Amino acid sequence: MFTYHINMKTLFMLLLFCHVASTVKYSMKYVLTATSGVTNLPEFVAFLMVNEVQVGYCDSNSKTVDPKQDWMRDLLNDDPKHMEWYVQKCSSEQHVFRFNIYDFKQRLNQTGGAHILQRMNGCEWDDETGEVTGFNQYGYDGEDFLVLDLQTLTWTAPRQQAFITKLRWDADEATSEFNKYFYIHTCPHWLKKYLHYGRSSLQRTDLPSVSLLQKTPSSPVSCHATGFYPDRAMMYWRKDGEEHHEDVDHGEILPNHDGSFQISVDLILSSVAPEDWRRYDCVFHLSGVEDVIVTKLDKAQIRTNWGKTEIRCDGSLKTNARPGS
């Protein structure tokens, strides 16, 4: 389902298209957003994402196409017609989205307020099987609105109010033929081209260093992984070899200053007997890498400041003694 928040910081995450870790699939996505009645955002914004990495951007204020990666800038310099296509597409999509959001407002009897129309379209390519999967879907005001079925080249309307639009779009044979060719041929061809130009970053995999951290003896034990790339990763606690969710707090994947990422998953040990610690371990899995990193819950391996001397803000010393010392 589509959800949205009206602020630039989270704009390109509006669609909540959560990526699933995969060892062989690559993706290219266009994320387009039009707004009505919103004063603090451009009327139209578009992102190009490759393997969940933003590589291109345009909006109705700047009216230019801005490559977000050095390799994408090189590609557009090497292929001026490619750049020309994006410039023209950015301009034409602004007008199309302006008309569509006006049309949807009329059909839903909306005369005022803030409204948002979004589209996410693109393709996935499996480099092992060669399978290509295209997708094109619209969301309006936080809900799924129209979804293209590429098998039949017809639209599905999850909301009754979109049914008339579905019928009109289904009857547009020229656009249907364009969609058929674009998602089966053009999209995977461009995706492979982008992967070639951006192979040093898009297809790189860096494993993290994983540590067990604890602030005090009564604090949760944090399994912390840092330095991994890309950001498509999973980390979780296990008990007796099974994924464990009770008394577990999952942190978000956060960026590091060097472009890599970090994540922490906390385990609350207040209800765990000391003799049961050996039943727990922490698992880190990076997308594209078969091997996982398993870290046993071992008290001797926990890094902590407990028992070390700290310098207070006033310059005085404080020693945190360990219990029983």
Side-chain angles (χ1 to χ4, degrees):
M1 181 177 292
F2 292 82
T3 61
Y4 67 95
H5 302 282
I6 306 298
N7 64 79
M8 180 59 76
K9 182 178 179 181
T10 59
L11 182 57
F12 86 98
M13 295 301 292
L14 294 173
L15 293 163
L16 290 185
F17 296 118
C18 301
H19 50 268
V20 178
S22 172
T23 59
V24 293
K25 287 186 178 180
Y26 303 100
S27 67
M28 181 175 84
K29 298 178 183 178
Y30 297 98
V31 182
L32 291 76
T33 303
T35 59
S36 175
V38 180
T39 58
N40 61 332
L41 292 178
E43 182 184 20
F44 175 83
V45 173
F47 295 88
L48 169 58
M49 315 288 291
V50 178
N51 286 3
E52 308 299 338
V53 176
Q54 183 188 350
V55 304
Y57 171 86
C58 77
D59 65 43
S60 52
N61 290 348
S62 63
K63 303 184 186 301
T64 60
V65 173
D66 181 14
K68 293 297 184 181
Q69 304 291 329
D70 290 339
W71 63 262
M72 188 63 178
R73 188 172 291 105
D74 293 339
L75 185 154
L76 296 177
N77 288 334
D78 293 344
D79 189 351
K81 288 187 178 298
H82 205 70
M83 179 66 163
E84 182 180 341
W85 186 90
Y86 274 116
V87 171
Q88 293 177 349
K89 197 67 174 175
C90 183
S91 176
S92 63
E93 290 287 10
Q94 294 178 35
H95 299 294
V96 171
F97 268 64
R98 185 182 296 117
F99 169 80
N100 284 338
I101 201 170
Y102 173 81
D103 182 53
F104 293 170
K105 286 169 62 178
Q106 296 298 309
R107 297 195 183 283
L108 297 172
N109 295 319
Q110 297 170 335
T111 57
H115 302 283
I116 186 167
L117 171 65
Q118 298 175 284
R119 186 181 81 202
M120 188 277 287
N121 64 298
C123 59
E124 288 187 341
W125 169 59
D126 189 317
D127 71 346
E128 287 191 356
T129 66
E131 180 183 5
V132 175
T133 305
F135 44 86
N136 188 346
Q137 60 193 86
Y138 284 80
Y140 184 68
D141 283 353
E143 296 184 14
D144 293 340
F145 201 74
L146 288 160
V147 180
L148 179 63
D149 183 344
L150 285 170
Q151 299 297 320
T152 62
L153 292 177
T154 58
W155 292 87
T156 301
R159 295 177 62 179
Q160 182 63 33
Q161 296 92 330
F163 189 71
I164 295 178
T165 303
K166 164 205 156 40
L167 294 178
R168 189 172 74 242
W169 289 9
D170 283 349
D172 187 345
E173 294 183 3
T175 300
S176 294
E177 287 302 312
F178 171 84
N179 285 334
K180 181 179 180 180
Y181 189 85
F182 181 83
Y183 293 109
I184 294 176
H185 300 287
T186 306
C187 187
H189 173 69
W190 287 2
L191 172 56
K192 294 172 187 177
K193 184 174 185 177
Y194 299 159
L195 291 171
H196 173 73
Y197 267 82
R199 59 190 178 277
S200 62
S201 60
L202 291 174
Q203 300 186 61
R204 103 175 199 245
T205 54
D206 294 338
L207 291 174
S209 60
V210 180
S211 305
L212 298 179
L213 309 175
Q214 190 179 33
K215 292 181 179 179
T216 71
S218 60
S219 299
V221 171
S222 178
C223 186
H224 179 73
T226 185
F228 62 88
Y229 187 92
D231 64 343
R232 297 188 301 279
M234 297 183 297
M235 191 162 73
Y236 52 91
W237 282 98
R238 293 190 310 191
K239 179 181 180 181
D240 297 330
E242 300 291 334
E243 190 168 345
H244 181 71
H245 301 284
E246 186 178 352
D247 294 327
V248 173
D249 184 16
H250 291 269
E252 298 180 359
I253 294 179
L254 301 173
N256 291 322
H257 294 302
D258 61 0
S260 65
F261 298 91
Q262 62 172 295
I263 186 175
S264 294
V265 181
D266 294 347
L267 174 65
I268 300 174
L269 291 172
S270 57
S271 59
V272 179
E275 60 270 18
D276 288 335
W277 278 37
R278 58 183 177 81
R279 301 169 63 187
Y280 293 83
D281 55 35
C282 172
V283 178
F284 177 91
H285 181 210
L286 183 66
S287 175
V289 178
E290 291 186 8
D291 295 335
V292 299
I293 300 176
V294 179
T295 305
K296 290 284 187 181
L297 179 58
D298 183 349
K299 195 168 187 177
Q301 300 301 318
I302 296 177
R303 297 168 58 185
T304 177
N305 285 330
W306 194 254
K308 297 182 179 180
T309 301
E310 300 177 1
I311 302 178
R312 290 172 166 165
C313 294
D314 60 4
S316 62
L317 299 180
K318 175 187 177 183
T319 300
N320 298 316
R322 293 181 179 272
S325 60

